[in-house]
Amino acid sequence: MIRHQGDLVDSTDSHSPDDVVRLSSVSRTYGNERNKVVALDQVSIGFSRRTFTAVMGPSGSGKSTMLQCAAGLDRPTSGSVTLDGQDLGALDERALTELRRERIGFIFQAFNLLPALTVSDNVALPIRLAGRKPDRDRIAEALHQVGLGDLADRRPAELSGGQQQRVAVARALVTQPAVIFGDEPTGALDTRTAREILHLLRSAVHEGGQTAIMVTHDPVAASYADRVLFLVDGRISHELRGAGPEQIAEQMTQLGARAGQVTR
Ligand code: ADP
């Protein structure tokens, strides 16, 4: 099938053997039979290597739940998640924690750096937590990659918000994980700084061969991704590839209207 820029595509055809993360009929419900909330409803989707995907949708549409299930931070009520060839449902908590440390990088809106540690010790943390001795050259390389080679000995409080998020990107990249998850990674940054972080993520994907999945509310941020998934009421309603900010914003407006009609 030939895909044109900005085409609407059917997300059900997107499974491939090259998927780094794959959700198969994943449902996640909360509450009991009398007041059940279906946060995710039979979602099947694949994320292949060297791709950058943005996840959008109205508030309450299931974005966080999807990210948490895909990252092994939450377990689906039914269905399965495969990460880097491993069925997460087959792992106990300890093995799951280990897999997260080794194979997943996270970037959060609030940076989540440890204030008492230097920049380089923050970046080294995932390696230490995995019980290995950090390789100084690898830490320096990760800091260089995000343009912070000169600030290795500073503490987070001595850095701007954008610099702190660069540290978080270096920390996410340092273990060379199979996939990087971002939960509104540019939500706390000004436009220019946000753009710098998005460029870093793009180059980690297209030059570094990473796979990135990012939840965002911002159509401009989403336009940096290769494709944008739109969630509505716990389902992927469709996806856009190669879309610009205007097309993404227009789609969000339409979805907001639809979601509003459903709940009213
Ligand atoms: P989004 O990230 O798109 O805002 P969420 O994944 O946070 O959506 O939530 C999807 C739905 O699941 C919402 O209706 C929300 O209220 C519900 N939900 C999420 N987490 C919980 C929870 N821990 N307990 C009960 N309901 C929850």
Side-chain angles (χ1 to χ4, degrees):
M1 186 173 97
I2 298 168
R3 287 182 170 138
H4 300 286
Q5 285 230 326
D7 266 359
L8 286 178
V9 296
D10 178 358
S11 56
T12 54
D13 73 350
S14 54
H15 276 185
S16 95
D18 203 26
D19 287 343
V20 176
V21 181
R22 180 181 297 191
L23 277 65
S24 304
S25 302
V26 168
S27 294
R28 176 67 168 102
T29 57
Y30 293 106
N32 53 33
E33 274 310 315
R34 279 182 51 211
N35 46 23
K36 190 158 101 173
V37 176
V38 182
L40 277 186
D41 190 4
Q42 299 274 331
V43 169
S44 294
I45 188 83
F47 301 87
S48 56
R49 204 169 298 280
R50 260 181 211 277
T51 58
F52 184 8
T53 304
V55 181
M56 301 191 86
S59 182
S61 58
K63 302 182 294 295
S64 304
T65 305
M66 183 167 129
L67 202 73
Q68 303 254 325
C69 287
L73 289 164
D74 190 9
R75 289 188 189 267
T77 311
S78 62
S80 68
V81 177
T82 316
L83 196 147
D84 209 17
Q86 177 77 57
D87 177 1
L88 300 190
L91 302 178
D92 62 19
E93 284 308 315
R94 204 176 137 184
L96 202 52
T97 304
E98 209 163 284
L99 179 112
R100 279 201 306 268
R101 280 185 188 149
E102 298 275 349
R103 308 303 301 140
I104 296 177
F106 288 99
I107 308 169
F108 303 95
Q109 179 169 350
F111 319 142
N112 292 5
L113 302 177
L114 293 184
L117 299 186
T118 63
V119 162
S120 95
D121 285 343
N122 265 287
V123 174
L125 199 60
I127 300 173
R128 284 194 194 285
L129 286 173
R132 295 199 306 272
K133 194 170 152 41
D135 170 359
R136 286 285 125 193
D137 290 345
R138 177 72 200 115
I139 308 296
E141 188 190 324
L143 282 173
H144 180 74
Q145 199 177 343
V146 300
L148 291 181
D150 299 339
L151 302 178
D153 297 326
R154 299 266 188 99
R155 312 247 170 220
E158 298 168 319
L159 305 180
S160 70
Q163 288 170 331
Q164 290 186 53
Q165 195 63 312
R166 282 167 180 265
V167 178
V169 173
R171 181 182 58 186
L173 291 171
V174 77
T175 56
Q176 296 173 312
V179 55
I180 301 170
F181 289 100
D183 193 357
E184 295 272 358
T186 57
L189 303 174
D190 63 70
T191 311
R192 188 177 61 82
T193 315
R195 220 176 284 148
E196 289 168 8
I197 295 294
L198 291 161
H199 275 295
L200 282 177
L201 283 174
R202 265 185 79 96
S203 71
V205 169
H206 294 140
E207 284 146 44
Q210 283 290 343
T211 303
I213 305 171
M214 162 183 83
V215 167
T216 182
H217 281 109
D218 177 7
V220 175
S223 72
Y224 280 76
D226 305 309
R227 70 170 173 172
V228 188
L229 302 180
F230 294 91
L231 278 178
V232 179
D233 297 333
R235 294 181 183 197
I236 295 173
S237 79
H238 54 268
E239 64 179 70
L240 290 172
R241 290 184 190 235
E246 295 82 14
Q247 195 184 358
I248 296 168
E250 165 68 22
Q251 199 63 54
M252 281 299 291
T253 308
Q254 286 179 20
L255 292 186
R258 262 174 55 196
Q261 281 162 15
V262 172
T263 51
R264 243 171 254 144

